[in-house]
Amino acid sequence: MKRIDIVYGGELYSVGGREFEEVRQEVVDGTTDGPSWLRVNDGEGMRREAYLLLAPGVPIALIPVPEDDVEVAGDGQWSSHGDH
């Protein structure tokens, strides 16, 4: 897995170096066992830690990004190399 993208409060964050199921379970535990914090990366490039509050009713989306992520090229054609 390349990374896990996270959408929280309308903003994009990410987590690297962890398995999707591990992060998913941490979110589930954080929302059922009472408030907790999830450490994530804020921004692109240089790592900047951020902490997201996990609590019941707080919307969060986890998006696994595989190593061989397929992108849509500018002409609408699928590309596995990021060619545009």
Side-chain angles (χ1 to χ4, degrees), residues 2-8 11-18 23 38-50 52 61-63 65:
K2 184 175 182 179
R3 71 178 181 276
I4 302 164
D5 283 345
I6 299 171
V7 178
Y8 181 96
E11 298 293 326
L12 183 63
Y13 302 91
S14 66
V15 172
R18 295 181 65 189
V23 175
L38 176 65
R39 186 175 62 177
V40 298
N41 183 40
D42 175 34
E44 295 181 17
M46 214 169 136
R47 180 173 173 78
R48 245 184 0 203
E49 287 186 352
L52 307 180
L62 304 178
I63 304 124
V65 179

Side-chain angles (χ1 to χ4, degrees), residues 9-72:
E11 298 293 326
L12 183 63
Y13 302 91
S14 66
V15 172
R18 295 181 65 189
E19 294 297 320
F20 177 79
E21 187 57 34
E22 175 189 358
V23 175
R24 188 198 67 77
Q25 190 62 51
E26 186 175 343
V27 170
V28 168
D29 293 345
T31 57
T32 56
D33 296 343
S36 65
W37 296 93
L38 176 65
R39 186 175 62 177
V40 298
N41 183 40
D42 175 34
E44 295 181 17
M46 214 169 136
R47 180 173 173 78
R48 245 184 0 203
E49 287 186 352
Y51 293 86
L52 307 180
L53 179 63
L54 302 175
V58 175
I60 184 171
L62 304 178
I63 304 124
V65 179
E67 288 290 336
D68 59 348
D69 190 21
V70 176
E71 297 179 13
V72 176

